[in-house]
Amino acid sequence: MKILGIETSCDETACSVVEDGVKVLSNVIASQVELHAATGGVVPEVAAREHILKVVPVIERALAEAGGEWGDIDAIAVTKGPGLISSLIIGTCNASAISYVMDKPVIPVHHIVGHVYANALDAGSADGLEFPSLVLTVSGGHNEIILMRGYHDFVILGETRDDAAGEAFDKVARILDLGYPGGPVISKVAIDGDREAFKLPRSYLEAGSLDFSFSGLKTAVLNEVKRYVRENNPDKEFGNYSQIGKLLPDKFKADLAASFQEAVCDVLSDKLIQAYLNLQEEGTHAKEIHLAGGVSANSRLREVMTAKIAKLGAHVSDDAPVIAPLLRFPKSLEYCTDNAAMIAGAAYFVSDSGKRLEKAPSNIAPTTNFDLF
Ligand code: KG4
Ligand code: ZN
């Protein structure tokens, strides 16, 4: 079954053709990063205008690269939300128009469900994942810990209460005057930094909570920057701190970026391991642990999770031998950040390999609803 997926939830115009949920035949992404770098973040109106210009050529290219004709496509998948409503509507309108003109069914896909299935693209076959799996989704707008009991059988165990991890990376990069998007640049700068240079807070919330909160960490970074700037510029008055990143030396930025990244990785990985151990206590042994979403591209997060999972294996007692779960993250960085292959792949599973598919063409409106299904 070949599905053409369209993703326009934020600032990437993307289209992909995927066969049977996992075989990527084409994956075209028109990034708007350069456009939004000028403003240090996404301006929704600017993003929507760019989607309008790019969406048709991107769809045409994805279809051509897949070597196909419209006749070969069984269904159109589209991100229905959450995301920027003015961006989403470009994708859903195009999906609806194609649906009517080409007489194809539409499969609406939740953006985060798409990120979750990005790991299935690497699994190689439609039954390549093993369940139960524990999934950490870490994006610019969302953080969730999800127990995946099977394909299309999700239980949310924890979620973000304020800033998502990616958002924290973006805001800290802005404070340090490192540019946009923040995640890749912080991880690059942090390579030369000392992770222990700053004692930054780790917010674990109430005992046993699997929810996340990163807004306090972001404020702690800002306070360190203000302190440094005041100490080093005693004769200067700062009415507004928006430009102070420019006054920071590279070593200070590298140390603070590394300390910040470490705090985020500690909380994400500790909570994920806690979720795994909680399930184990209840008699559920997660066979796999997945990282998904833009922040899963972070090499330090991958490293920390790999080390912590290896330790789980060492916890094994003789009478209860437990095999450490398999850690998955999208091998290709383009499957971590927003892409349409994950949407076309997810659509296959969401529709139960086409069995639960509304066959008639349909008009799909974007939704701001955060419910996964
Ligand atoms: O999943 P995604 O592409 O979009 C949303 O659904 O929000 O995630 C984007 C986020 C951005 O905040 C970006 O800074 C972050 O992912 N990101 C990273 C890295 N690459 C992208 N964060 C940390 N390390 C990275 N290497
Ligand atoms: Zn995303």
Side-chain angles (χ1 to χ4, degrees):
M1 180 182 184
K2 284 186 191 165
I3 299 179
L4 179 136
I6 301 172
E7 153 65 40
T8 62
S9 67
C10 188
D11 61 341
E12 321 279 3
T13 319
C15 185
S16 169
V17 178
V18 176
E19 192 169 2
D20 296 338
V22 296
K23 193 169 171 212
V24 182
L25 304 180
S26 65
N27 188 32
V28 178
I29 305 174
S31 170
Q32 302 180 6
V33 160
E34 278 177 27
L35 194 65
H36 299 298
T39 42
V42 179
V43 177
E45 172 71 15
V46 174
R49 284 167 184 251
E50 193 67 7
H51 283 309
I52 290 174
L53 296 177
K54 297 280 171 61
V55 70
V56 172
V58 163
I59 293 171
E60 283 176 340
R61 217 177 104 200
L63 188 64
E65 283 183 15
E69 304 287 328
W70 282 110
D72 301 329
I73 302 296
D74 297 293
I76 311 298
V78 64
T79 305
K80 63 174 177 180
L84 301 174
I85 201 81
S86 48
S87 289
L88 287 164
I89 205 165
I90 315 297
T92 55
C93 279
N94 275 275
S96 301
I98 297 169
S99 166
Y100 279 105
V101 174
M102 301 294 174
D103 195 23
K104 309 279 176 199
V106 177
I107 308 170
V109 176
H110 189 289
H111 184 74
I112 299 303
V113 173
H115 276 301
V116 169
Y117 283 111
N119 278 302
L121 297 173
D122 288 329
S125 75
D127 54 6
L129 303 180
E130 284 214 70
F131 302 110
S133 294
L134 197 53
V135 187
L136 172 72
T137 62
V138 264
S139 285
H142 316 273
N143 269 174
E144 267 115 16
I145 295 182
I146 299 170
L147 169 63
M148 213 176 160
R149 294 187 293 209
Y151 287 106
H152 208 52
D153 182 358
F154 294 13
V155 181
I156 296 183
L157 304 178
E159 59 200 336
T160 182
R161 292 202 190 157
D162 44 47
D163 290 0
E167 195 177 347
F169 270 94
D170 293 337
K171 286 181 177 164
V172 165
R174 208 172 165 155
I175 293 169
L176 299 180
D177 192 38
L178 290 173
Y180 171 85
V185 68
I186 287 204
S187 90
K188 191 167 164 225
V189 166
I191 293 171
D192 299 320
D194 173 1
R195 292 173 204 140
E196 290 170 15
F198 294 90
K199 301 275 164 278
L200 295 175
R202 271 96 172 129
S203 172
Y204 288 95
L205 302 170
E206 13 2 299
S209 172
L210 295 176
D211 285 348
F212 300 97
S213 165
F214 290 110
S215 68
L217 175 60
K218 177 197 67 193
T219 307
V221 168
L222 181 61
N223 288 339
E224 291 292 349
V225 170
K226 284 183 180 174
R227 193 176 53 74
Y228 177 90
V229 171
R230 271 196 229 106
E231 279 174 14
N232 289 280
N233 300 272
D235 303 326
K236 210 166 164 193
E237 279 292 314
F238 291 98
N240 161 351
Y241 285 90
S242 65
Q243 298 295 314
I244 53 176
K246 300 200 186 313
L247 303 173
L248 305 172
D250 288 348
K251 173 71 179 138
F252 177 91
K253 288 187 188 185
D255 286 350
L256 194 47
S259 303
F260 159 78
Q261 179 174 260
E262 200 63 10
V264 174
C265 292
D266 279 353
V267 174
L268 291 175
S269 57
D270 285 347
K271 295 240 174 196
L272 194 48
I273 295 294
Q274 188 56 54
Y276 173 84
L277 294 173
N278 290 354
L279 288 173
Q280 201 176 50
E281 243 174 67
E282 294 163 12
T284 302
H285 295 285
K287 295 198 177 112
E288 300 189 355
I289 292 184
H290 304 175
L291 307 178
V295 184
S296 70
N298 187 276
S299 44
R300 181 64 187 152
L301 179 62
R302 293 174 170 203
E303 198 175 273
V304 169
M305 271 313 301
T306 305
K308 288 188 181 170
I309 288 183
K311 269 199 195 148
L312 284 178
H315 276 195
V316 177
S317 69
D318 288 346
D319 51 336
V322 175
I323 299 162
L326 174 76
L327 176 63
R328 287 185 192 274
F329 39 75
K331 290 193 190 95
S332 158
L333 292 189
E334 68 183 17
Y335 296 155
C336 295
T337 45
D338 291 348
N339 66 88
M342 69 183 194
I343 301 300
Y348 178 81
F349 298 105
V350 166
S351 66
D352 198 5
S353 42
K355 291 197 265 306
R356 285 199 285 119
L357 192 56
E358 190 67 53
K359 297 286 179 199
S362 49
N363 187 27
I364 298 296
T367 172
T368 50
N369 192 341
F370 277 65
D371 296 345
L372 280 187
F373 296 109

